[in-house]
PDB file of all heavy atoms in Angstrom:
ATOM      1  N   SER A   4      -7.876   3.621  -1.168  1.00 43.00           N
ATOM      2  CA  SER A   4      -8.080   2.856  -2.391  1.00 43.00           C
ATOM      3  C   SER A   4      -9.573   2.691  -2.640  1.00 43.00           C
ATOM      4  O   SER A   4     -10.335   2.455  -1.723  1.00 43.00           O
ATOM      5  CB  SER A   4      -7.444   1.477  -2.271  1.00 43.00           C
ATOM      6  OG  SER A   4      -6.068   1.584  -2.108  1.00 43.00           O
ATOM      7  N   SER A   5      -9.982   2.803  -3.903  1.00 45.00           N
ATOM      8  CA  SER A   5     -11.370   2.525  -4.232  1.00 45.00           C
ATOM      9  C   SER A   5     -11.537   1.016  -4.277  1.00 45.00           C
ATOM     10  O   SER A   5     -10.566   0.282  -4.358  1.00 45.00           O
ATOM     11  CB  SER A   5     -11.734   3.186  -5.551  1.00 45.00           C
ATOM     12  OG  SER A   5     -11.014   2.604  -6.590  1.00 45.00           O
ATOM     13  N   PRO A   6     -12.781   0.518  -4.244  1.00 45.00           N
ATOM     14  CA  PRO A   6     -12.992  -0.923  -4.149  1.00 45.00           C
ATOM     15  C   PRO A   6     -12.450  -1.730  -5.316  1.00 45.00           C
ATOM     16  O   PRO A   6     -12.205  -2.908  -5.181  1.00 45.00           O
ATOM     17  CB  PRO A   6     -14.513  -1.059  -4.085  1.00 45.00           C
ATOM     18  CG  PRO A   6     -15.044   0.275  -3.798  1.00 45.00           C
ATOM     19  CD  PRO A   6     -14.005   1.263  -4.189  1.00 45.00           C
ATOM     20  N   ASP A   7     -12.280  -1.140  -6.494  1.00 60.00           N
ATOM     21  CA  ASP A   7     -11.896  -1.927  -7.646  1.00 60.00           C
ATOM     22  C   ASP A   7     -10.429  -1.824  -8.038  1.00 60.00           C
ATOM     23  O   ASP A   7      -9.998  -2.474  -8.968  1.00 60.00           O
ATOM     24  CB  ASP A   7     -12.775  -1.566  -8.843  1.00 60.00           C
ATOM     25  CG  ASP A   7     -12.706  -0.081  -9.183  1.00 60.00           C
ATOM     26  OD1 ASP A   7     -12.244   0.709  -8.341  1.00 60.00           O
ATOM     27  OD2 ASP A   7     -13.111   0.282 -10.299  1.00 60.00           O
ATOM     28  N   VAL A   8      -9.637  -0.992  -7.371  1.00 71.00           N
ATOM     29  CA  VAL A   8      -8.212  -0.872  -7.681  1.00 71.00           C
ATOM     30  C   VAL A   8      -7.372  -1.056  -6.433  1.00 71.00           C
ATOM     31  O   VAL A   8      -7.822  -0.776  -5.331  1.00 71.00           O
ATOM     32  CB  VAL A   8      -7.853   0.480  -8.350  1.00 71.00           C
ATOM     33  CG1 VAL A   8      -8.507   0.610  -9.706  1.00 71.00           C
ATOM     34  CG2 VAL A   8      -8.219   1.642  -7.461  1.00 71.00           C
ATOM     35  N   ARG A   9      -6.137  -1.536  -6.621  1.00 75.00           N
ATOM     36  CA  ARG A   9      -5.221  -1.767  -5.520  1.00 75.00           C
ATOM     37  C   ARG A   9      -3.880  -1.136  -5.830  1.00 75.00           C
ATOM     38  O   ARG A   9      -3.405  -1.171  -6.965  1.00 75.00           O
ATOM     39  CB  ARG A   9      -5.029  -3.266  -5.271  1.00 75.00           C
ATOM     40  CG  ARG A   9      -6.298  -3.954  -4.893  1.00 75.00           C
ATOM     41  CD  ARG A   9      -6.865  -3.426  -3.560  1.00 75.00           C
ATOM     42  NE  ARG A   9      -8.268  -3.696  -3.494  1.00 75.00           N
ATOM     43  CZ  ARG A   9      -9.197  -2.790  -3.234  1.00 75.00           C
ATOM     44  NH1 ARG A   9      -8.881  -1.552  -3.033  1.00 75.00           N
ATOM     45  NH2 ARG A   9     -10.458  -3.117  -3.173  1.00 75.00           N
ATOM     46  N   VAL A  10      -3.249  -0.614  -4.800  1.00 79.00           N
ATOM     47  CA  VAL A  10      -1.933   0.006  -4.937  1.00 79.00           C
ATOM     48  C   VAL A  10      -0.880  -1.089  -5.086  1.00 79.00           C
ATOM     49  O   VAL A  10      -0.800  -1.991  -4.255  1.00 79.00           O
ATOM     50  CB  VAL A  10      -1.611   0.888  -3.710  1.00 79.00           C
ATOM     51  CG1 VAL A  10      -0.203   1.458  -3.803  1.00 79.00           C
ATOM     52  CG2 VAL A  10      -2.635   2.007  -3.560  1.00 79.00           C
ATOM     53  N   VAL A  11      -0.069  -1.008  -6.158  1.00 83.00           N
ATOM     54  CA  VAL A  11       1.031  -1.943  -6.347  1.00 83.00           C
ATOM     55  C   VAL A  11       2.384  -1.242  -6.228  1.00 83.00           C
ATOM     56  O   VAL A  11       3.421  -1.894  -6.186  1.00 83.00           O
ATOM     57  CB  VAL A  11       0.952  -2.704  -7.690  1.00 83.00           C
ATOM     58  CG1 VAL A  11      -0.259  -3.630  -7.702  1.00 83.00           C
ATOM     59  CG2 VAL A  11       0.954  -1.765  -8.870  1.00 83.00           C
ATOM     60  N   GLY A  12       2.359   0.088  -6.141  1.00 88.00           N
ATOM     61  CA  GLY A  12       3.601   0.831  -5.990  1.00 88.00           C
ATOM     62  C   GLY A  12       3.329   2.303  -5.774  1.00 88.00           C
ATOM     63  O   GLY A  12       2.213   2.784  -5.949  1.00 88.00           O
ATOM     64  N   ARG A  13       4.392   3.009  -5.363  1.00 90.00           N
ATOM     65  CA  ARG A  13       4.308   4.451  -5.139  1.00 90.00           C
ATOM     66  C   ARG A  13       5.604   5.076  -5.598  1.00 90.00           C
ATOM     67  O   ARG A  13       6.691   4.618  -5.233  1.00 90.00           O
ATOM     68  CB  ARG A  13       4.082   4.756  -3.664  1.00 90.00           C
ATOM     69  CG  ARG A  13       3.934   6.252  -3.354  1.00 90.00           C
ATOM     70  CD  ARG A  13       3.679   6.503  -1.877  1.00 90.00           C
ATOM     71  NE  ARG A  13       4.702   5.952  -1.019  1.00 90.00           N
ATOM     72  CZ  ARG A  13       5.857   6.579  -0.721  1.00 90.00           C
ATOM     73  NH1 ARG A  13       6.128   7.751  -1.215  1.00 90.00           N
ATOM     74  NH2 ARG A  13       6.729   6.002   0.085  1.00 90.00           N
TER      75      ARG A  13
END
Side-chain angles (χ1 to χ4, degrees):
S4 297
S5 66
D7 57 344
V8 295
R9 298 297 158 233
V10 176
V11 293
R13 182 179 57 84

